[in-house]
Amino acid sequence: MQAPRSPWRWRHRPTIANGQLAVGTYTWMEGEKTHVPFSLDVLALAGDRIREVTAFVVRPADTADGYSRWPDRAADPSRVEAVFRRFGLPDHVD
């Protein structure tokens, strides 16, 4: 996935969630010099097309609003454990 002129740098890793195709998304964190977990995106397919994407944003511990971490707040490590590791995804991607 490429977004023209996007200020964010992304990496993606495939997985399966509840029998559906899913993608772990990682965003670049300059302070950590690596891509860290951002969301688990579960894909609903219709034939050979994506019909729907449900994104589970891995939010920081101090907020209920996952989007407030854009672009420079890392996810809570316990939430990374609960979401990303459960689906066999790494804690970071270089």
Side-chain angles (χ1 to χ4, degrees):
M1 181 175 83
Q2 295 284 333
R5 294 179 237 134
S6 173
W8 299 292
R9 294 165 49 191
W10 297 97
R11 294 288 183 267
H12 303 88
R13 293 296 179 266
T15 190
I16 301 290
N18 295 334
Q20 293 177 266
L21 295 176
V23 178
T25 65
Y26 296 79
T27 187
W28 179 256
M29 293 295 285
E30 186 61 36
E32 297 179 38
K33 302 294 187 207
T34 192
H35 291 84
V36 298
F38 184 80
S39 69
L40 178 70
D41 297 345
V42 180
L43 310 178
L45 303 178
D48 64 348
R49 299 181 180 264
I50 297 171
R51 178 175 48 90
E52 183 178 346
V53 177
T54 303
F56 298 90
V57 176
V58 184
R59 61 189 165 90
D62 60 349
T63 181
D65 174 12
Y67 293 101
S68 68
R69 68 177 281 216
W70 286 65
D72 57 2
R73 293 181 60 208
D76 180 319
S78 68
R79 292 192 172 105
V80 171
E81 169 93 32
V83 176
F84 272 59
R85 290 185 196 155
R86 181 177 296 169
F87 294 99
L89 295 167
D91 292 348
H92 68 281
V93 177
D94 293 325

